Amino acid sequence: MNAILRLQEKLSIIERLPLFADLSLKDKRLVAKASALVEYKKDDILYKELDLADALYCVITGRLKAYVRRDGKAEVLEYLKRGKYVGIISLLTGEPHSVTVQAVNDSIVLKIPKDEFGNILKRIPHLAIHFGQTLSRRLKRKDVREKKIFESTIISIMATSERIGTTTYAVNFALSLKLQTRKKIILVILDSAGEDVIGLLGITAPLNPIAADRPFFDDSNINAAIFKHHSGIDILNIRHKNGGNAYLIQLLSFLTGEYHYVVVDLPSHIDKTSFESLKQSDMLHILTASDETSLHMTGSLISELEKSSTDISLKIKVIISEHGKTPIATHLKRQEILKHDIFATLPEIDKSGEGGIDISKIPLVTEYPECEYSKAVRRISREAGDCLIGLALSSGAAMGLAHAGILKIIEKERIPIDIVVGTSTGALIGALWASGKDTAEMEEIASRFRRKIAIFRLIDLAFPKRGLIKGREVRRFLLSQFGDMTFYDLKLPFKIIACDIEKREEVVLDRGSLVDCLMASIAIPGVFEPVTIEGRLLVDGGIINPLPTNLLMRLGVSKIIAVNALPSPSDVQRSKRKVSNIFDVIVNSIQASEYLLAERSCQDADVAMHPVVPTVDWYEFYESAKVVKRGEEEALKYLPQLKELAI
């Protein structure tokens, strides 16, 4: 029995790790059976430099550090948190470990022994491709004897047409990546972009280009050509000849031994060398205008790249620049032309700025961090730098209005949130915020229900075939707030949890009509009629996942804020409320199990809050002022931890 429970525990953990998130249940079970959960105390050594490989180690809780010894001192190369793994280089190459890995604090690690790891790679090709890409980032230069960088990433940026702000984006992206990760960043530009970079960064000295027509393995040659900007990023200007410069790729490889991120601003006209540089990159940011001609050109480029390499499609991030020509309006039409997912959208820059300054000629992410362009670049850089902050908002009926109070403090203190996920009331509040409404607007909306009669106007009783309430009035209210908005129209990534009542499984909603998806997520079983979306009969996601921190983990979010607005058993006992009708019976029964599930989800969060007012019952939306205030108080209580996440 203990063995079965241990297997289920491992399977539960594996399902929440980004590394294994896309595997089938069969493959996840294979990994679970092959692995062991191992506890390491603070300062325990997992393995030492020059040891032979024995296993893959994946961090579940706690932190590890990878370091090398130089002149008798430990030099830390990287701190590894939840979801990160080590040991892969030695496992795949057969060479001894190049670093020592040690527990920073008490940690739990998923350990897959060497023999079992080899078997997994044979049976799950998807993982073999992923680990091959990781090996590329961690072992860029075989000629480097002294390891300086644990993992390096080449990010190439290009556009399929000129004058859509590629260099502006490259500079702002590099600066934002430095601000968010605090790691070593170098921006590599071609001489044609040199003047633009000088203007954007206010550089007074010329950026003398270095010719990429011979091998560069002499540190002094490279260092003499690198310009060190006061922002902390380094800049290297390359003299690039169309059809030539065979050593450009070697030069980029050399830089990966010195920098965590090498950001390359490539020309829009693709020659052989640029094409090869794209293939060698770990990420490809392809900017395109939103008109039909530009989208077709971008789609053709992606098609050519995919023909040249089987796994390159996974590296491509298409970024729409809302700049210039007449755009194709709908998101679906854009994707149909591209035949590829759209990763992000850059809003058009308002060139008037403040005081008549042309803000397209300065680094926006440092000078105007709150403009929409800067926010978009910041989200992109945080994902590239693996430092996303995600917010999970729980179900909770009227108590879910406390989420607005939490968001009020997050807004005031400018805590960056990169993605929001929500269930039921958490989905509703999250959708309002993601749509661009601030918390002042949310409070104004909530104030409309401060009279009890306003709540009852939303109740349209139905013949109880599949629910007591039809939901037409609720839908009308949601339409008044969101209209025909889709997820693509939102200001930041947002996902909703619902439950397929027939298959009894979680459903993640992140496309299509926002109102339809919200209706599904708030459809309390027995109270509201279920909602059919794409042939699936959906109800309130709270019955299966009331606080979706696991979704944030699967998406690779490294810092998680969780808000559990469900009352605990002690909260219910303190309220001294009586169950007086069928609605009370249904909701209280559901919330009893939801609270336990939500508390378990809180264990995955870096900051977990529980804003509840025991005297407010599940249907008392007219007590919004009291509940929102409680959310503010809870957020202020955890403010030091929230600010620490943003560092």
Side-chain angles (χ1 to χ4, degrees):
M1 186 66 176
N2 287 338
I4 295 173
L5 289 174
R6 197 66 168 173
L7 181 63
Q8 285 300 114
E9 182 183 4
K10 286 189 289 183
L11 188 59
S12 175
I13 288 169
I14 286 165
E15 287 177 337
R16 301 199 301 269
L17 294 174
L19 176 60
F20 306 113
D22 295 332
L23 300 184
S24 66
L25 180 58
K26 178 183 176 182
D27 288 340
K28 288 173 183 174
R29 289 185 181 276
L30 173 65
V31 174
K33 289 178 181 179
S35 60
L37 291 172
V38 183
E39 296 183 25
Y40 291 92
K41 296 296 183 183
K42 183 179 182 297
D43 297 330
D44 281 353
I45 301 288
L46 281 72
Y47 59 77
K48 293 182 179 179
E49 191 174 351
L50 300 182
D51 283 351
L52 294 176
D54 67 330
L56 181 78
Y57 301 82
C58 187
V59 184
I60 305 302
T61 64
R63 283 200 311 162
L64 310 178
K65 64 180 178 182
Y67 66 86
V68 295
R69 287 206 167 271
R70 292 198 178 100
D71 301 324
K73 296 181 180 179
E75 182 178 322
V76 178
L77 302 179
E78 193 78 17
Y79 286 97
L80 303 149
K81 53 187 180 293
R82 178 181 55 215
K84 292 298 183 180
Y85 54 89
V86 288
I88 188 65
I89 293 178
S90 297
L91 282 173
L92 294 182
T93 65
E95 297 177 359
H97 290 299
S98 57
V99 299
T100 297
V101 175
Q102 184 178 26
V104 176
N105 46 28
D106 292 353
S107 304
I108 297 176
V109 173
L110 188 77
K111 183 177 179 179
I112 304 177
K114 181 179 179 180
D115 291 343
E116 297 285 359
F117 179 76
N119 181 47
I120 286 172
L121 289 192
K122 290 177 184 177
R123 295 177 63 178
I124 311 177
H126 170 79
L127 280 182
I129 294 172
H130 174 88
F131 285 127
Q133 293 172 342
T134 301
L135 182 67
S136 171
R137 294 194 300 273
R138 295 188 185 177
L139 195 65
K140 293 286 188 182
R141 287 182 57 202
K142 293 181 180 179
D143 62 307
V144 177
R145 294 184 180 179
E146 289 190 350
K147 193 173 181 72
K148 298 179 182 179
I149 301 295
F150 181 74
E151 181 172 302
S152 184
T153 303
I154 298 176
I155 304 173
S156 289
I157 298 169
M158 66 159 299
T160 48
S161 58
E162 295 180 349
R163 293 185 294 279
I164 64 168
T166 312
T167 298
T168 298
Y169 170 74
V171 169
N172 280 281
F173 173 74
L175 286 170
S176 186
L177 199 56
K178 178 65 179 180
L179 289 169
Q180 303 305 325
T181 67
R182 292 173 170 79
K183 292 187 174 181
K184 295 185 68 177
I185 316 288
I186 187 166
L187 173 62
V188 178
I189 57 173
L190 305 182
D191 48 0
S192 59
E195 290 186 9
D196 292 337
V197 173
I198 287 173
L200 282 162
L201 293 175
I203 299 172
T204 54
L207 293 174
N208 296 318
I210 186 169
D213 55 4
R214 55 192 174 86
F216 292 96
F217 297 104
D218 185 338
D219 288 9
S220 61
N221 287 344
I222 298 293
N223 290 332
I226 291 173
F227 179 86
K228 296 187 176 297
H229 191 254
H230 62 78
S231 63
I233 67 169
D234 290 352
I235 304 167
L236 182 61
N237 195 3
I238 302 297
R239 182 176 295 116
H240 176 70
K241 297 178 181 177
N242 289 339
N245 301 340
Y247 292 111
L248 176 59
I249 295 170
Q250 293 183 36
L251 173 57
L252 296 178
S253 180
F254 180 85
L255 293 173
T256 59
E258 306 293 326
Y259 294 90
H260 295 97
Y261 294 94
V262 180
V263 180
V264 187
D265 183 10
L266 289 171
S268 57
H269 299 292
I270 299 295
D271 59 23
K272 182 179 179 181
T273 304
S274 298
F275 196 81
E276 289 301 316
S277 297
L278 285 174
K279 287 166 58 180
Q280 297 298 321
S281 301
D282 301 297
M283 295 184 196
L284 311 178
H285 288 190
I286 302 180
L287 270 65
T288 177
S290 55
D291 62 283
E292 188 167 355
T293 301
S294 298
L295 292 171
H296 276 295
M297 290 174 62
T298 302
S300 297
L301 172 63
I302 293 171
S303 179
E304 287 300 309
L305 287 168
E306 289 175 339
K307 290 176 186 176
S308 67
S309 177
T310 56
D311 65 339
I312 201 166
S313 180
L314 300 173
K315 303 177 182 180
I316 294 172
K317 308 289 186 184
V318 176
I319 300 173
I320 303 289
S321 177
E322 301 286 9
H323 177 82
K325 303 174 185 177
T326 304
I328 295 287
T330 68
H331 178 69
L332 286 177
K333 181 64 174 176
R334 292 175 178 185
Q335 290 202 154
E336 283 176 12
I337 296 173
L338 288 166
K339 295 181 174 62
H340 197 281
D341 289 339
I342 295 169
F343 175 63
T345 299
L346 293 175
E348 187 167 8
I349 299 172
D350 178 4
K351 295 185 179 182
S352 62
E354 295 182 10
I357 300 171
D358 185 350
I359 64 174
S360 66
K361 297 186 180 301
I362 61 174
L364 296 175
V365 296
T366 55
E367 300 300 320
Y368 292 91
E370 293 307 309
C371 77
E372 292 304 314
Y373 184 93
S374 295
K375 290 179 181 178
V377 173
R378 184 162 60 239
R379 281 194 291 273
I380 296 169
S381 66
R382 291 176 71 82
E383 177 154 337
D386 191 29
C387 50
L388 290 173
I389 298 179
L391 176 64
L393 304 177
S394 77
S395 54
M399 201 57 63
L401 296 174
H403 296 317
I406 299 287
L407 289 169
K408 190 172 185 178
I409 301 304
I410 284 175
E411 280 181 359
K412 182 180 178 182
E413 299 296 333
R414 296 186 177 180
I415 308 296
I417 301 296
D418 302 296
I419 180 169
V420 178
V421 296
T423 301
S424 196
T425 314
L428 173 57
I429 299 298
L432 288 167
W433 200 58
S435 70
K437 290 181 170 59
D438 60 24
T439 50
E441 292 175 280
M442 289 188 213
E443 288 185 274
E444 190 278 325
I445 293 168
S447 69
R448 302 175 195 175
F449 300 98
R450 286 183 182 166
R451 295 179 62 195
K452 294 181 182 181
I453 188 64
I455 297 296
F456 292 111
R457 285 173 182 162
L458 294 178
I459 298 175
D460 48 348
L461 294 174
F463 181 79
K465 181 181 180 182
R466 296 195 300 185
L468 296 169
I469 297 174
K470 294 178 182 178
R472 288 181 300 193
E473 294 303 318
V474 174
R475 177 179 286 274
R476 188 173 289 115
F477 164 71
L478 293 177
L479 285 169
S480 72
Q481 300 303 317
F482 301 105
D484 59 358
M485 289 181 73
T486 67
F487 286 82
Y488 181 71
D489 299 313
L490 301 177
K491 302 294 184 182
L492 77 165
F494 175 62
K495 298 178 186 292
I496 290 172
I497 299 295
C499 175
D500 184 323
I501 196 64
E502 294 176 323
K503 295 183 178 179
R504 300 185 184 181
E505 64 183 19
E506 174 185 310
V507 178
V508 178
L509 302 172
D510 58 4
R511 64 180 181 179
S513 164
L514 195 58
V515 168
D516 286 348
C517 294
L518 286 170
M519 285 296 298
S521 190
I522 65 175
I524 303 171
V527 176
F528 287 95
E529 291 187 349
V531 176
T532 301
I533 296 179
E534 296 182 356
R536 306 184 77 165
L537 195 64
L538 304 181
V539 296
D540 188 340
I543 66 172
I544 195 165
N545 191 358
L547 183 58
T549 55
N550 65 324
L551 176 56
L552 292 176
M553 293 182 72
R554 292 203 305 266
L555 294 169
V557 174
S558 58
K559 301 175 182 181
I560 295 175
I561 302 168
V563 186
N564 178 12
L566 288 153
S568 68
S570 60
D571 293 325
V572 173
Q573 291 165 18
R574 277 186 290 158
S575 71
K576 298 180 180 178
R577 294 274 183 172
K578 300 295 182 183
V579 175
S580 58
N581 56 56
I582 188 173
F583 295 105
D584 285 337
V585 171
I586 293 171
V587 175
N588 282 306
S589 299
I590 291 172
Q591 287 194 345
S593 61
E594 285 186 347
Y595 173 77
L596 296 176
L597 291 172
E599 279 298 283
R600 190 179 303 167
S601 295
C602 283
Q603 295 172 15
D604 294 329
D606 297 277
V607 178
M609 292 176 276
H610 186 219
V612 173
V613 182
T615 57
V616 174
D617 214 338
W618 66 270
Y619 60 88
E620 295 180 332
F621 287 88
Y622 47 81
E623 296 282 15
S624 61
K626 188 184 297 184
V627 179
V628 171
K629 182 66 175 177
R630 177 69 188 92
E632 291 180 56
E633 293 169 352
E634 186 77 353
L636 288 171
K637 175 182 171 183
Y638 285 90
L639 188 56
Q641 292 95 314
L642 292 171
K643 286 185 173 180
E644 188 176 343
L645 283 188
I647 295 175

